[in-house]
Amino acid sequence: MAEFPDERQLVLGARSQLDQWMRSARREAYADLFEGDDPLLSPEEVQLLDALDSELEREGGDGVWGTDRYGIHTAGTSSSDTSLGVVCVYHPQITKDSVLRGGDELDDETEERLNAALWQYSERVATLIEAELDEFVRRAEG
């Protein structure tokens, strides 16, 4: 039973770092997936997401790029040597009735491409956060 306080302290310490890790991971995931030589989306599609992001932020929301949410769990993951892991608890998605729909009418194919890219983006952010978490745990245990 002595393990629980140690794991609890690790989780509490990691949660205090989560916002910082998330901001950094979002920037890196955006650059990895939407900029460079082989982006997931066309420049026009990225511009559409960025415009939607700006519109939603002006309305007081988190925008497209700030809607995703992450949590730290204690079940561990297959890619991790520790008992802690990261999961995306909310993936942004554009639907006809969602807040992310915006004013533009999108055809179904474009909507699906954008949603698939947003899913990959959120999963990439979770992977990057988990790498930070793993390093945090190694330092704490070392």
Side-chain angles (χ1 to χ4, degrees):
M1 298 229 182
E3 293 177 29
F4 291 116
D6 293 336
E7 186 173 68
R8 181 176 161 271
Q9 291 302 319
L10 272 177
V11 170
L12 292 174
R15 284 183 181 155
S16 73
Q17 299 292 312
L18 185 58
D19 283 344
Q20 177 185 336
W21 294 339
M22 186 175 50
R23 281 190 299 275
S24 173
R26 283 175 173 164
R27 283 190 301 273
E28 186 175 338
Y30 185 94
D32 289 350
L33 299 175
F34 302 111
E35 298 172 346
D37 296 335
D38 191 25
L40 282 179
L41 299 172
S42 70
E44 295 79 21
E45 290 168 323
V46 173
Q47 185 177 13
L48 176 62
L49 283 176
D50 287 343
L52 243 167
D53 180 67
S54 294
E55 177 184 330
L56 292 167
E57 284 182 345
R58 279 193 303 274
E59 294 173 3
D62 291 324
V64 173
W65 306 114
T67 305
D68 50 325
R69 295 287 177 253
Y70 304 88
I72 295 172
H73 63 83
T74 58
T77 65
S78 59
S79 66
S80 174
D81 294 333
T82 68
S83 63
L84 302 182
V86 174
V87 64
C88 181
V89 295
Y90 180 79
H91 293 80
Q93 183 168 330
I94 299 168
T95 63
K96 287 180 179 32
D97 60 347
S98 88
V99 69
L100 293 182
R101 184 57 177 192
D104 298 328
E105 288 300 318
L106 302 176
D107 61 72
D108 289 343
E109 184 179 325
T110 302
E111 183 179 292
E112 180 54 34
R113 282 183 47 73
L114 295 177
N115 284 331
L118 288 170
W119 182 276
Q120 284 185 267
Y121 164 79
S122 298
E123 290 301 306
R124 177 73 177 132
V125 171
T127 299
L128 293 168
I129 294 170
E130 190 160 290
E132 292 290 342
L133 175 62
D134 289 346
E135 181 60 30
F136 174 83
V137 170
R138 273 192 286 284
R139 284 192 313 267
E141 292 177 342

